[in-house]
Amino acid sequence: MRFTLSQEQALLRDTVARLVRERFGFEARLKTLESAAGFDRDVWREFAEIGLLGAPFGEEVGGFGGGGVELMTVMRELGRGLLLEPYLASVVLAGSLIERLGTPEQCSDYLRPMIAGEALLAFAHGEPDSRYALEQVATRAVATSGGWRLDGRKSVVLHGGEANTLVVSARTAGAQDDEKGIGLFLLPCDAMGLSLHPYPTIDGLRAAELELDGVVIPAEAALGEPGTAYSAIEAAVARGLVALCGEAVGAMETCCDMTLDYLKQRKQFGVTIGSFQVLQHRMVDLRGLLEQARSMAILAAGRLDGERAERERAVSAAKNLIGRAGRTIAEESIQLHGGIGMTWEYALPHFAKRLVMIDHLLGDEDHHLDRFVMLERAASAAPPLSAVN
């Protein structure tokens, strides 16, 4: 498949790449890791100034209408620089849900300030017992005389401790594993009854555990029709998977570049170790994996705005392959580096940790393999169009 970026997409890629190169070196990352917020708010404001925070959104809400390819392009460059900014949590996941389900007033109140870099959003959906199943929601939303009462727990809410507003899923009806009956609600982070427990993740990002104990919110805090949010959540997670695939490809590219440079410079027995054929073969294998991963990320990005079954098969196939490729490239890059590959002051292990974490975010390789098989079987069982007609 021949794939080339349009002039506008290439300009977007070059703009992000220049920002990452000039503003986010490895030394800056180490310094940011020690900060309370865990990311650089000045860099975040620069994202807003160049329109990066509005890239995936329509012009009617303040974005510039980018699709899957634009999202993948942005995330690939962020992955190459291993940025810590909450783009996935705030823009891709929570922002997508508000754009899809929000009223014009909600988009104006929550989405536009986020695109302008003035507020942060986070998506609170995973729970202690839900693992990767999107339909597993035990948190309850009960209608009251003036709105809703929320009770439950949410786990590993990316950047939940730094967000101004949370998009929280809660069940208004049905059993715990029912796709129907799931609603979304906009919740300020200082709401009465909400307890936040932030912590750093092993790859240097931030997450939080949430406890909702009788949190009362007004009726207008509901996002869309309560109880019908599952398809929107699935679509937002698909967008998140494309973003993660793009980020992983960028991180893998940097790992391969660093490893190749090391093999060309490190000497043993008076020659560079890159001259040993066995190491050349291992490096070629890594490049082959990277090309496969890049192709699958492009495929998933191209299917993101298409029909639901095709979209879900493509994103699960991509996440499975990229999860395996990322882990292999991370481990092999450390092996080929030797001891320095485990040194905190060296950039490579930071990329390796991020690649391992990306495999676990929004479903690991095993989950998406099972899901892809299930979707394929469902598609095979569907009657042909001629039979339906």
Side-chain angles (χ1 to χ4, degrees):
M1 179 176 67
R2 181 178 174 84
F3 176 77
T4 55
L5 297 177
S6 68
Q7 188 175 0
E8 292 78 13
Q9 291 164 345
L11 179 62
L12 174 65
R13 177 200 60 197
D14 296 342
T15 301
V16 181
R18 184 172 61 254
L19 176 65
V20 170
R21 186 171 58 250
E22 294 176 354
R23 296 283 286 113
F24 206 85
F26 182 61
E27 293 301 321
R29 174 187 166 84
L30 290 179
K31 183 178 178 181
T32 305
L33 280 173
E34 302 299 324
S35 67
F39 70 99
D40 190 330
R41 292 189 182 276
D42 291 336
V43 171
W44 191 250
R45 280 189 285 272
E46 288 187 50
F47 278 14
E49 289 170 2
I50 63 174
L52 208 55
L53 303 185
F57 304 117
E59 294 178 5
E60 65 278 7
V61 295
F64 65 77
V69 174
E70 286 78 7
L71 177 61
M72 181 199 69
T73 301
V74 169
M75 292 300 294
R76 177 185 167 191
E77 297 306 321
L78 299 188
R80 287 182 66 86
L82 202 60
L83 265 67
L84 297 162
E85 277 55 38
Y87 200 86
L88 174 68
S90 191
V91 176
V92 180
L93 294 175
S96 294
L97 289 166
I98 294 177
E99 182 193 32
R100 183 175 287 264
L101 297 178
T103 63
E105 291 75 20
Q106 288 171 328
C107 289
S108 177
D109 291 345
Y110 296 98
L111 201 52
R112 287 183 179 276
M114 189 277 292
I115 292 174
E118 299 165 354
L120 287 176
L121 306 169
F123 178 38
H125 183 61
E127 300 185 353
D129 298 323
S130 65
R131 194 165 165 72
Y132 301 127
L134 298 180
E135 72 277 7
Q136 285 279 351
V137 176
T139 299
R140 286 281 170 182
V142 178
T144 64
S145 58
W148 298 90
R149 173 189 165 116
L150 306 183
D151 291 278
R153 295 177 61 191
K154 296 292 178 182
S155 286
V156 199
V157 179
L158 295 175
H159 292 279
E162 293 74 42
N164 304 94
T165 302
L166 300 164
V167 179
V168 180
S169 61
R171 184 168 294 286
T172 61
Q176 186 172 329
D177 60 351
D178 196 344
E179 292 182 4
K180 297 179 181 178
I182 301 174
L184 291 172
F185 302 89
L186 294 163
L187 185 64
C189 286
D190 58 354
M192 288 287 289
L194 171 64
S195 299
L196 278 164
H197 307 284
Y199 53 86
T201 56
I202 65 166
D203 55 350
L205 272 69
R206 297 291 190 274
E209 303 294 300
L210 269 62
E211 294 180 21
L212 301 122
D213 184 12
V215 177
V216 177
I217 52 177
E220 54 268 27
L223 196 57
E225 183 66 27
T228 63
Y230 180 80
S231 62
I233 292 171
E234 188 181 64
V237 170
R239 189 178 275 194
L241 290 168
V242 167
L244 285 172
C245 289
E247 183 185 355
V249 168
M252 282 187 267
E253 288 172 343
T254 301
C255 283
C256 286
D257 291 345
M258 291 180 69
T259 304
L260 185 60
D261 286 344
Y262 185 78
L263 295 182
K264 290 179 177 178
Q265 295 176 21
R266 181 77 168 92
K267 289 188 175 181
Q268 284 284 348
F269 311 112
V271 297
T272 58
I273 60 175
S275 63
F276 300 138
Q277 193 173 43
V278 65
L279 298 188
Q280 292 173 4
H281 287 170
R282 290 172 71 174
M283 195 67 231
V284 168
D285 289 343
L286 296 191
R287 286 292 188 186
L289 276 176
L290 175 58
E291 286 304 320
Q292 291 179 36
R294 189 181 287 136
S295 297
M296 289 303 294
I298 292 170
L299 175 68
R303 299 281 169 83
L304 182 60
D305 297 320
E307 188 264 335
R308 184 250 173 191
E310 286 291 319
R311 178 194 71 201
E312 294 302 317
R313 283 202 297 270
V315 296
S316 279
K319 188 63 164 52
N320 169 266
L321 186 142
I322 288 173
R324 290 185 283 118
R327 185 182 292 272
T328 301
I329 287 177
E331 292 173 351
E332 279 287 284
S333 295
I334 290 175
Q335 284 277 331
L336 291 169
H337 271 79
I340 193 174
M342 297 292 289
T343 307
W344 179 254
E345 290 76 14
Y346 192 55
L348 183 68
H350 296 256
F351 282 93
K353 282 185 177 181
R354 182 58 186 159
L355 284 171
V356 171
M357 283 297 287
I358 284 177
D359 181 32
H360 290 285
L361 283 172
L362 304 181
D364 61 16
E365 60 185 73
D366 293 333
H367 169 78
H368 281 287
L369 177 60
D370 292 343
R371 188 167 186 265
F372 179 79
V373 171
M374 181 194 70
L375 291 167
E376 278 290 293
R377 286 175 176 167
S380 301
L385 288 177
S386 57
V388 175
N389 295 329

